[in-house]
Amino acid sequence: MLFVAGLNNYNQLFTETKKNNPDKIPCLDTFTPISLDPSNIADFSLGGTFSAYITKDGQAFGIGDDTNFCLGTSKRQVYKTPVQIQFSQIDPNDKFVSVHCGSYYTAYLTESGLIIYCSYYTQDFVPVIHRLPAKAIYLSGGILKPVAIDENGDFYLFKENPVKEPKQFHLDEPVYDIIGCDNVFSSGFTIVITVSGKIYSNGSFSEENPTFAIVPELSQIDVQRVFGIHRHCIAITRKNQVNFMGSNSSGQFGNGDSKCEARTDFERMSIFDSYKILTAAAGYGHTLYLTSNGKLLGCGNCEYGQC
């Protein structure tokens, strides 16, 4: 069963809500079950005012506000129930395999490696289709723009303008995980992990470095996964240790200190050592953790009940 919580002003959480927060904004302040069957879902992504998912048979569905083409449907409207998303520009036999929603865009990845980029900034409500130099196999992104990895382990940073070609990066060894943390306050940063567990970064938390360099404080640590979409990110090691970098303006570090200054380097959060964290999710200003024994931990901004 799937459970949802948080901002729900456009039914983007796949259910209706009659409850508002103190500012009279519709939200779900407790985790609520929804009717979607998780056993049939291959990928799932929540955006700002819209959401999308991919079924195991390769179909794409969206819900919420698509008045500005952020989902890419054929009509400019708000969908209160899921609607199938199809694009006449691609082969109908080319199945969808992944999706990522930001605040103003949705990007879709197909089985053949096409990336379909729909955005508030798209001209004439026509999706922009990108085929990378090598087949795209992984899709992620921040709140403003997507990122991707190809079958050779090279990675690509897209622009907010969907028409512009993404910038390709190549490291000494292949990359298998990537997150893009972007925001309207700075150029943001991107984190990648190579197949040997080395972690590289660029951007505003690496002295505005436009190129990628290894993260020195984690250079001797085998990192397994990295999570982030906005101004903070979490790196989890193969020993299930949790490391944080970025903004802690809402207490999203989880260390009990909401007044802590933003960190420009990774800091180990020993408070999580007793939990064995398997995976995490970073929101706009909150963080969720899943433990090995099935517990869900939350910290950070809970203005809309997202924790």
Side-chain angles (χ1 to χ4, degrees), residues 138 140 147-149 155-157 176-180 190-192 226:
Y138 184 73
S140 185
V147 295
I149 300 174
F155 59 100
Y156 301 76
L157 309 186
Y176 79 91
D177 197 13
I178 184 172
I179 55 101
T190 305
I191 303 285
V192 298
V226 65

Side-chain angles (χ1 to χ4, degrees), residues 5 11 22 49 58 69 74 80 90 111 121 125 127 132 144 200 263 277 292:
N11 280 40
T49 57
F69 202 66
S74 59
K80 293 189 176 182
I90 69 171
E111 200 170 46
Y121 300 102
F125 306 125
L132 304 181
L144 300 179
Y200 290 75
R263 293 198 61 84
I277 301 298
S292 61

Side-chain angles (χ1 to χ4, degrees), residues 119-296:
S119 167
Y120 171 86
Y121 300 102
T122 306
Q123 293 184 352
D124 300 322
F125 306 125
V126 176
V128 179
I129 300 174
H130 293 271
R131 185 180 289 278
L132 304 181
K135 181 182 177 181
I137 60 170
Y138 184 73
L139 179 67
S140 185
I143 64 171
L144 300 179
K145 49 189 179 294
V147 295
I149 300 174
D150 72 18
E151 61 185 353
N152 298 323
D154 288 351
F155 59 100
Y156 301 76
L157 309 186
F158 287 79
K159 304 292 185 181
E160 287 183 61
N161 183 345
V163 176
K164 293 186 176 180
E165 291 296 319
K167 186 173 182 180
Q168 181 178 2
F169 292 84
H170 175 83
L171 299 181
D172 291 337
E173 58 180 356
V175 162
Y176 79 91
D177 197 13
I178 184 172
I179 55 101
C181 289
D182 49 34
N183 61 85
V184 297
F185 308 109
S186 68
S187 59
F189 59 96
T190 305
I191 303 285
V192 298
I193 305 175
T194 67
V195 292
S196 68
K198 294 185 176 67
I199 185 168
Y200 290 75
S201 72
N202 79 333
S204 59
F205 283 96
S206 297
E207 299 179 354
E208 301 291 347
N209 187 354
T211 60
F212 282 80
I214 197 164
V215 175
E217 64 271 21
L218 297 179
S219 61
Q220 303 301 314
I221 299 175
D222 193 0
V223 179
Q224 184 175 24
R225 290 296 312 277
V226 65
F227 307 89
I229 61 167
H230 182 43
R231 301 184 70 192
H232 74 285
C233 70
I234 309 104
I236 298 179
T237 72
R238 295 194 185 275
K239 295 182 178 181
N240 305 104
Q241 295 171 343
V242 175
N243 298 268
F244 242 99
M245 185 186 79
S247 170
N248 191 40
S249 59
S250 299
Q252 55 264 52
F253 280 19
N255 62 353
D257 183 8
S258 62
K259 297 181 181 180
C260 176
E261 295 292 332
R263 293 198 61 84
T264 59
D265 55 1
F266 278 96
E267 176 184 359
R268 180 179 168 187
M269 294 289 127
S270 59
I271 191 173
F272 294 103
D273 286 354
S274 62
Y275 286 104
K276 192 177 182 181
I277 301 298
L278 294 184
T279 188
Y284 191 87
H286 71 288
T287 311
L288 298 176
Y289 298 93
L290 183 64
T291 70
S292 61
N293 61 356
K295 290 184 177 179
L296 186 65

Side-chain angles (χ1 to χ4, degrees), residues 12-26:
Q12 62 263 43
L13 296 182
F14 299 89
T15 186
E16 291 188 0
T17 177
K18 297 179 181 180
K19 192 170 185 178
N20 299 332
N21 74 348
D23 295 326
K24 299 183 179 181
I25 299 175

Side-chain angles (χ1 to χ4, degrees), residues 38 40-45 52-56 59-61 96-101 107-109 138-140:
N40 189 41
I41 294 178
D43 200 16
F44 192 100
S45 186
Y53 65 93
I54 308 298
T55 60
K56 288 186 177 178
Q59 298 181 79
F61 292 86
F96 295 98
V97 295
S98 185
V99 62
H100 182 84
C101 299
Y108 304 87
L109 176 62
Y138 184 73
L139 179 67
S140 185

